[in-house]
Amino acid sequence: NALLAFYPSVVMVDPITRSRVFFIRWCEFIPLSGFMTFLSEVLDLKREKNALVKPIVNALSQSLSCLCGIVLPFCNDLTSWNVVMFVSMITYLNMFPQCHTRYVNLKNYNQIETPSFLAIEKKHRIRYSFLLMKTCTTLWSV
């Protein structure tokens, strides 16, 4: 934010929407979206052989969605702009089923009554995974 406030930064105008695009902001969003998605996915990760594949794919999906945002100002015609926007939306909408899956996991785990420390820790992990995914989904949709 300090770079945007106090130093000159590259700004382009999207030829389709006529909105200003601040590239430094998108350079921040691209890794951040993938990292936050990855963190919310691995909080309740099961110990299986290929357990990291799905979180990595979902994180890359969110980063690709943001990467499309930095490409949009370079699309000069409506067709190419629509294709990039379509790819961005498809990769972004992947978050909603993930958020619902986290909600179902939390709901199902709340019905299990086990007082052990490990069960309580697992419940907290499932809960925080859902809350983080819900926060990301809500804030990135606004």
Side-chain angles (χ1 to χ4, degrees), residues 35-90:
F35 184 65
M36 289 299 294
T37 303
F38 181 75
L39 285 179
S40 63
E41 292 274 342
V42 298
L43 270 175
D44 63 340
L45 195 65
K46 295 179 176 87
R47 291 186 174 221
E48 297 172 357
K49 185 174 182 177
N50 293 325
L52 276 177
V53 172
K54 189 174 180 183
I56 289 172
V57 168
N58 289 334
L60 289 174
S61 174
Q62 293 312 306
S63 291
L64 176 61
S65 178
C66 285
L67 186 65
C68 290
I70 207 169
V71 172
L72 284 173
F74 296 103
C75 299
N76 292 325
D77 63 337
L78 188 60
T79 305
S80 62
W81 194 90
N82 282 333
V83 168
V84 172
M85 179 58 81
F86 179 76
V87 170
S88 178
M89 290 302 294
I90 291 299

Side-chain angles (χ1 to χ4, degrees), residues 3-142:
L3 288 175
L4 284 173
F6 301 117
Y7 297 99
S9 62
V10 178
V11 178
M12 277 188 70
V13 176
D14 188 321
I16 306 300
T17 63
R18 306 279 189 253
S19 62
R20 291 180 298 165
V21 178
F22 295 86
F23 284 108
I24 198 158
R25 180 73 69 193
W26 283 104
C27 290
E28 174 187 6
F29 288 161
I30 292 167
L32 179 66
S33 65
F35 184 65
M36 289 299 294
T37 303
F38 181 75
L39 285 179
S40 63
E41 292 274 342
V42 298
L43 270 175
D44 63 340
L45 195 65
K46 295 179 176 87
R47 291 186 174 221
E48 297 172 357
K49 185 174 182 177
N50 293 325
L52 276 177
V53 172
K54 189 174 180 183
I56 289 172
V57 168
N58 289 334
L60 289 174
S61 174
Q62 293 312 306
S63 291
L64 176 61
S65 178
C66 285
L67 186 65
C68 290
I70 207 169
V71 172
L72 284 173
F74 296 103
C75 299
N76 292 325
D77 63 337
L78 188 60
T79 305
S80 62
W81 194 90
N82 282 333
V83 168
V84 172
M85 179 58 81
F86 179 76
V87 170
S88 178
M89 290 302 294
I90 291 299
T91 54
Y92 167 72
L93 291 175
N94 185 36
M95 284 187 75
F96 292 95
Q98 295 304 318
C99 189
H100 179 70
T101 302
R102 302 263 171 294
Y103 173 73
V104 170
N105 289 346
L106 178 62
K107 189 175 171 185
N108 290 339
Y109 202 78
N110 279 337
Q111 295 173 354
I112 299 172
E113 298 277 338
T114 53
S116 71
F117 177 77
L118 291 175
I120 293 170
E121 181 184 359
K122 182 170 178 157
K123 180 180 176 180
H124 286 302
R125 286 179 177 269
I126 291 171
R127 179 174 171 261
Y128 290 132
S129 176
F130 166 67
L131 290 176
L132 185 57
M133 182 63 79
K134 180 179 162 187
T135 302
C136 290
T137 305
T138 303
L139 291 177
W140 294 341
S141 296
V142 173

